[in-house]
């Protein structure tokens, strides 16, 4: 991880699908870089999955970035979903009512 950030990402692309594996704490400091990572992936892939298994924290600014990514993907006939949220992240997504919208179950 970059000393100035508390998160990192790895990108894997195969057959028109991209998986972005996120880890660490995602908050306001991550917004702009995460937005750019997701935007690039959505432009280049038909399906984008953000794997949240190693994410220990998200706040409302990150939820907003995920909602924007989902809306941008849908507008471009592409898909964006979150997958494998860690227990604390799943709880935040459930409490805010966006888990279904952001996941394959939505």
């Amino acid at each position: 991880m970059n000393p100035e950030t508390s998160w990192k990402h790895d990108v894997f692309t195969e057959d028109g699908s991209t998986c972005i594996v996120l880890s660490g704490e995602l908050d306001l400091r991550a917004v702009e870089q995460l937005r750019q990572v997701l935007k690039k992936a959505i432009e280049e892939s038909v399906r984008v999955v953000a794997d949240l298994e190693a994410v220990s924290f998200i706040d409302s600014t990150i939820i907003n970035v995920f909602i924007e990514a989902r809306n941008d993907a849908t507008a471009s006939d592409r898909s964006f979903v979150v997958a494998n949220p860690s227990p604390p992240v799943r709880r935040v997504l459930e409490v805010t009512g966006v888990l279904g919208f952001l996941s394959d179950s939505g």
Side-chain angles (χ1 to χ4, degrees):
M1 268 184 250
N2 179 330
E4 295 177 13
T5 63
S6 57
W7 70 284
K8 71 175 195 163
H9 71 281
D10 293 302
V11 179
F12 303 93
T13 302
E14 183 177 323
D15 297 328
S17 293
T18 297
C19 180
I20 302 168
V21 179
L22 300 168
S23 61
E25 297 180 1
L26 295 167
D27 59 18
L28 182 60
R29 294 173 295 173
V31 167
E32 287 309 314
Q33 186 179 359
L34 179 60
R35 185 177 282 134
Q36 292 306 312
V37 168
L38 296 178
K39 179 180 179 180
K40 182 176 190 275
I42 291 166
E43 289 172 353
E44 297 176 355
S45 299
V46 174
R47 177 172 169 77
V48 177
V49 176
D51 187 315
L52 307 180
E53 186 174 16
V55 175
S56 58
F57 174 83
I58 63 170
D59 67 10
S60 61
T61 62
I62 299 304
I63 292 171
N64 189 50
V65 170
F66 289 153
I67 291 169
E68 289 173 2
R70 175 72 177 220
N71 290 340
D72 290 347
T74 300
S76 301
D77 291 326
R78 298 169 186 268
S79 71
F80 169 79
V81 295
V82 299
N84 306 320
S86 65
V89 171
R90 173 177 288 279
R91 180 72 178 137
V92 170
L93 295 174
E94 288 173 338
V95 167
T96 56
V98 298
L99 182 61
F101 177 71
L102 293 174
S103 66
D104 274 329
S105 64

mmCIF file of all heavy atoms in Angstrom, residues 22-44:
data_model
loop_
_atom_site.group_PDB
_atom_site.id
_atom_site.type_symbol
_atom_site.label_atom_id
_atom_site.label_comp_id
_atom_site.label_asym_id
_atom_site.label_seq_id
_atom_site.Cartn_x
_atom_site.Cartn_y
_atom_site.Cartn_z
ATOM 1 N N LEU A 22 -10.181 -5.105 -4.348
ATOM 2 C CA LEU A 22 -9.902 -3.977 -3.459
ATOM 3 C C LEU A 22 -9.540 -4.486 -2.075
ATOM 4 O O LEU A 22 -10.045 -5.536 -1.642
ATOM 5 C CB LEU A 22 -11.121 -3.066 -3.374
ATOM 6 C CG LEU A 22 -11.572 -2.449 -4.702
ATOM 7 C CD1 LEU A 22 -12.944 -1.812 -4.558
ATOM 8 C CD2 LEU A 22 -10.561 -1.434 -5.176
ATOM 9 N N SER A 23 -8.703 -3.754 -1.368
ATOM 10 C CA SER A 23 -8.368 -4.135 0.002
ATOM 11 C C SER A 23 -8.059 -2.888 0.827
ATOM 12 O O SER A 23 -7.714 -1.838 0.285
ATOM 13 C CB SER A 23 -7.165 -5.089 0.019
ATOM 14 O OG SER A 23 -6.032 -4.474 -0.532
ATOM 15 N N GLY A 24 -8.229 -3.049 2.133
ATOM 16 C CA GLY A 24 -7.946 -1.955 3.057
ATOM 17 C C GLY A 24 -9.181 -1.159 3.413
ATOM 18 O O GLY A 24 -10.302 -1.669 3.383
ATOM 19 N N GLU A 25 -8.961 0.099 3.766
ATOM 20 C CA GLU A 25 -10.029 1.001 4.179
ATOM 21 C C GLU A 25 -10.319 1.997 3.062
ATOM 22 O O GLU A 25 -9.432 2.751 2.660
ATOM 23 C CB GLU A 25 -9.633 1.747 5.449
ATOM 24 C CG GLU A 25 -9.425 0.834 6.632
ATOM 25 C CD GLU A 25 -9.041 1.586 7.898
ATOM 26 O OE1 GLU A 25 -8.941 2.837 7.870
ATOM 27 O OE2 GLU A 25 -8.837 0.915 8.916
ATOM 28 N N LEU A 26 -11.563 1.987 2.592
ATOM 29 C CA LEU A 26 -11.977 2.888 1.511
ATOM 30 C C LEU A 26 -12.814 4.020 2.093
ATOM 31 O O LEU A 26 -13.890 3.774 2.645
ATOM 32 C CB LEU A 26 -12.790 2.126 0.467
ATOM 33 C CG LEU A 26 -12.020 1.041 -0.292
ATOM 34 C CD1 LEU A 26 -12.977 0.155 -1.058
ATOM 35 C CD2 LEU A 26 -11.012 1.661 -1.215
ATOM 36 N N ASP A 27 -12.294 5.226 1.980
ATOM 37 C CA ASP A 27 -13.012 6.388 2.492
ATOM 38 C C ASP A 27 -12.781 7.566 1.556
ATOM 39 O O ASP A 27 -12.335 7.382 0.420
ATOM 40 C CB ASP A 27 -12.589 6.706 3.932
ATOM 41 C CG ASP A 27 -11.101 6.982 4.080
ATOM 42 O OD1 ASP A 27 -10.423 7.271 3.065
ATOM 43 O OD2 ASP A 27 -10.602 6.923 5.214
ATOM 44 N N LEU A 28 -13.051 8.751 2.007
ATOM 45 C CA LEU A 28 -12.959 9.956 1.189
ATOM 46 C C LEU A 28 -11.613 10.072 0.463
ATOM 47 O O LEU A 28 -11.554 10.516 -0.678
ATOM 48 C CB LEU A 28 -13.209 11.192 2.063
ATOM 49 C CG LEU A 28 -13.194 12.540 1.365
ATOM 50 C CD1 LEU A 28 -14.263 12.610 0.276
ATOM 51 C CD2 LEU A 28 -13.406 13.653 2.377
ATOM 52 N N ARG A 29 -10.549 9.641 1.108
ATOM 53 C CA ARG A 29 -9.223 9.725 0.483
ATOM 54 C C ARG A 29 -9.110 8.848 -0.761
ATOM 55 O O ARG A 29 -8.266 9.099 -1.617
ATOM 56 C CB ARG A 29 -8.132 9.331 1.480
ATOM 57 C CG ARG A 29 -8.000 10.309 2.635
ATOM 58 C CD ARG A 29 -7.052 9.793 3.664
ATOM 59 N NE ARG A 29 -7.628 8.571 4.250
ATOM 60 C CZ ARG A 29 -7.013 7.787 5.091
ATOM 61 N NH1 ARG A 29 -5.772 8.036 5.450
ATOM 62 N NH2 ARG A 29 -7.609 6.725 5.592
ATOM 63 N N ALA A 30 -9.947 7.844 -0.887
ATOM 64 C CA ALA A 30 -9.872 6.909 -2.010
ATOM 65 C C ALA A 30 -10.784 7.296 -3.171
ATOM 66 O O ALA A 30 -10.662 6.729 -4.255
ATOM 67 C CB ALA A 30 -10.250 5.509 -1.519
ATOM 68 N N VAL A 31 -11.678 8.224 -2.965
ATOM 69 C CA VAL A 31 -12.747 8.492 -3.929
ATOM 70 C C VAL A 31 -12.250 8.749 -5.349
ATOM 71 O O VAL A 31 -12.669 8.084 -6.292
ATOM 72 C CB VAL A 31 -13.660 9.650 -3.452
ATOM 73 C CG1 VAL A 31 -14.563 10.146 -4.564
ATOM 74 C CG2 VAL A 31 -14.489 9.200 -2.263
ATOM 75 N N GLU A 32 -11.388 9.726 -5.532
ATOM 76 C CA GLU A 32 -10.996 10.106 -6.894
ATOM 77 C C GLU A 32 -10.249 9.001 -7.610
ATOM 78 O O GLU A 32 -10.512 8.712 -8.782
ATOM 79 C CB GLU A 32 -10.200 11.407 -6.893
ATOM 80 C CG GLU A 32 -11.063 12.624 -6.620
ATOM 81 C CD GLU A 32 -12.303 12.707 -7.504
ATOM 82 O OE1 GLU A 32 -12.194 12.502 -8.730
ATOM 83 O OE2 GLU A 32 -13.386 12.964 -6.972
ATOM 84 N N GLN A 33 -9.299 8.373 -6.936
ATOM 85 C CA GLN A 33 -8.548 7.298 -7.587
ATOM 86 C C GLN A 33 -9.454 6.106 -7.881
ATOM 87 O O GLN A 33 -9.392 5.525 -8.969
ATOM 88 C CB GLN A 33 -7.359 6.865 -6.738
ATOM 89 C CG GLN A 33 -6.492 5.846 -7.464
ATOM 90 C CD GLN A 33 -5.283 5.400 -6.667
ATOM 91 O OE1 GLN A 33 -5.046 5.847 -5.550
ATOM 92 N NE2 GLN A 33 -4.519 4.505 -7.246
ATOM 93 N N LEU A 34 -10.308 5.729 -6.933
ATOM 94 C CA LEU A 34 -11.223 4.619 -7.155
ATOM 95 C C LEU A 34 -12.175 4.926 -8.304
ATOM 96 O O LEU A 34 -12.434 4.074 -9.164
ATOM 97 C CB LEU A 34 -12.004 4.294 -5.880
ATOM 98 C CG LEU A 34 -13.006 3.156 -5.997
ATOM 99 C CD1 LEU A 34 -12.325 1.849 -6.401
ATOM 100 C CD2 LEU A 34 -13.774 2.989 -4.689
ATOM 101 N N ARG A 35 -12.690 6.137 -8.344
ATOM 102 C CA ARG A 35 -13.583 6.543 -9.433
ATOM 103 C C ARG A 35 -12.893 6.358 -10.791
ATOM 104 O O ARG A 35 -13.487 5.847 -11.733
ATOM 105 C CB ARG A 35 -14.029 7.992 -9.229
ATOM 106 C CG ARG A 35 -15.058 8.448 -10.247
ATOM 107 C CD ARG A 35 -15.525 9.865 -9.965
ATOM 108 N NE ARG A 35 -16.491 9.851 -8.864
ATOM 109 C CZ ARG A 35 -16.475 10.682 -7.830
ATOM 110 N NH1 ARG A 35 -15.551 11.616 -7.731
ATOM 111 N NH2 ARG A 35 -17.394 10.608 -6.891
ATOM 112 N N GLN A 36 -11.635 6.749 -10.891
ATOM 113 C CA GLN A 36 -10.897 6.614 -12.144
ATOM 114 C C GLN A 36 -10.639 5.150 -12.498
ATOM 115 O O GLN A 36 -10.743 4.756 -13.664
ATOM 116 C CB GLN A 36 -9.573 7.385 -12.076
ATOM 117 C CG GLN A 36 -9.753 8.882 -12.025
ATOM 118 C CD GLN A 36 -10.616 9.411 -13.170
ATOM 119 O OE1 GLN A 36 -10.411 9.066 -14.323
ATOM 120 N NE2 GLN A 36 -11.609 10.226 -12.836
ATOM 121 N N VAL A 37 -10.303 4.333 -11.512
ATOM 122 C CA VAL A 37 -10.081 2.904 -11.745
ATOM 123 C C VAL A 37 -11.351 2.254 -12.273
ATOM 124 O O VAL A 37 -11.325 1.498 -13.256
ATOM 125 C CB VAL A 37 -9.612 2.210 -10.444
ATOM 126 C CG1 VAL A 37 -9.657 0.688 -10.573
ATOM 127 C CG2 VAL A 37 -8.211 2.676 -10.062
ATOM 128 N N LEU A 38 -12.483 2.556 -11.651
ATOM 129 C CA LEU A 38 -13.756 1.970 -12.079
ATOM 130 C C LEU A 38 -14.166 2.486 -13.455
ATOM 131 O O LEU A 38 -14.629 1.715 -14.297
ATOM 132 C CB LEU A 38 -14.846 2.258 -11.048
ATOM 133 C CG LEU A 38 -14.645 1.637 -9.669
ATOM 134 C CD1 LEU A 38 -15.761 2.051 -8.733
ATOM 135 C CD2 LEU A 38 -14.527 0.123 -9.743
ATOM 136 N N LYS A 39 -13.991 3.782 -13.694
ATOM 137 C CA LYS A 39 -14.357 4.362 -14.985
ATOM 138 C C LYS A 39 -13.576 3.698 -16.112
ATOM 139 O O LYS A 39 -14.147 3.322 -17.142
ATOM 140 C CB LYS A 39 -14.100 5.867 -14.973
ATOM 141 C CG LYS A 39 -14.441 6.552 -16.279
ATOM 142 C CD LYS A 39 -14.175 8.043 -16.210
ATOM 143 C CE LYS A 39 -14.494 8.683 -17.544
ATOM 144 N NZ LYS A 39 -14.270 10.107 -17.550
ATOM 145 N N LYS A 40 -12.279 3.545 -15.936
ATOM 146 C CA LYS A 40 -11.434 2.917 -16.957
ATOM 147 C C LYS A 40 -11.876 1.477 -17.199
ATOM 148 O O LYS A 40 -11.978 1.029 -18.349
ATOM 149 C CB LYS A 40 -9.975 2.959 -16.517
ATOM 150 C CG LYS A 40 -9.009 2.385 -17.523
ATOM 151 C CD LYS A 40 -7.576 2.572 -17.040
ATOM 152 C CE LYS A 40 -6.560 2.235 -18.102
ATOM 153 N NZ LYS A 40 -6.221 0.855 -18.186
ATOM 154 N N ALA A 41 -12.144 0.743 -16.141
ATOM 155 C CA ALA A 41 -12.569 -0.654 -16.280
ATOM 156 C C ALA A 41 -13.897 -0.752 -17.012
ATOM 157 O O ALA A 41 -14.070 -1.609 -17.894
ATOM 158 C CB ALA A 41 -12.664 -1.309 -14.906
ATOM 159 N N ILE A 42 -14.835 0.124 -16.705
ATOM 160 C CA ILE A 42 -16.150 0.107 -17.355
ATOM 161 C C ILE A 42 -16.013 0.475 -18.830
ATOM 162 O O ILE A 42 -16.696 -0.099 -19.680
ATOM 163 C CB ILE A 42 -17.143 1.029 -16.613
ATOM 164 C CG1 ILE A 42 -17.481 0.425 -15.248
ATOM 165 C CG2 ILE A 42 -18.400 1.272 -17.442
ATOM 166 C CD1 ILE A 42 -18.169 1.374 -14.287
ATOM 167 N N GLU A 43 -15.120 1.379 -19.157
ATOM 168 C CA GLU A 43 -14.904 1.745 -20.558
ATOM 169 C C GLU A 43 -14.297 0.597 -21.357
ATOM 170 O O GLU A 43 -14.554 0.456 -22.548
ATOM 171 C CB GLU A 43 -13.983 2.963 -20.658
ATOM 172 C CG GLU A 43 -14.639 4.247 -20.209
ATOM 173 C CD GLU A 43 -13.664 5.418 -20.122
ATOM 174 O OE1 GLU A 43 -12.434 5.218 -20.277
ATOM 175 O OE2 GLU A 43 -14.142 6.542 -19.877
ATOM 176 N N GLU A 44 -13.498 -0.237 -20.696
ATOM 177 C CA GLU A 44 -12.746 -1.276 -21.392
ATOM 178 C C GLU A 44 -13.357 -2.672 -21.306
ATOM 179 O O GLU A 44 -12.908 -3.571 -22.027
ATOM 180 C CB GLU A 44 -11.313 -1.316 -20.853
ATOM 181 C CG GLU A 44 -10.551 -0.023 -21.112
ATOM 182 C CD GLU A 44 -9.169 -0.003 -20.497
ATOM 183 O OE1 GLU A 44 -8.810 -0.957 -19.772
ATOM 184 O OE2 GLU A 44 -8.442 0.974 -20.736
#
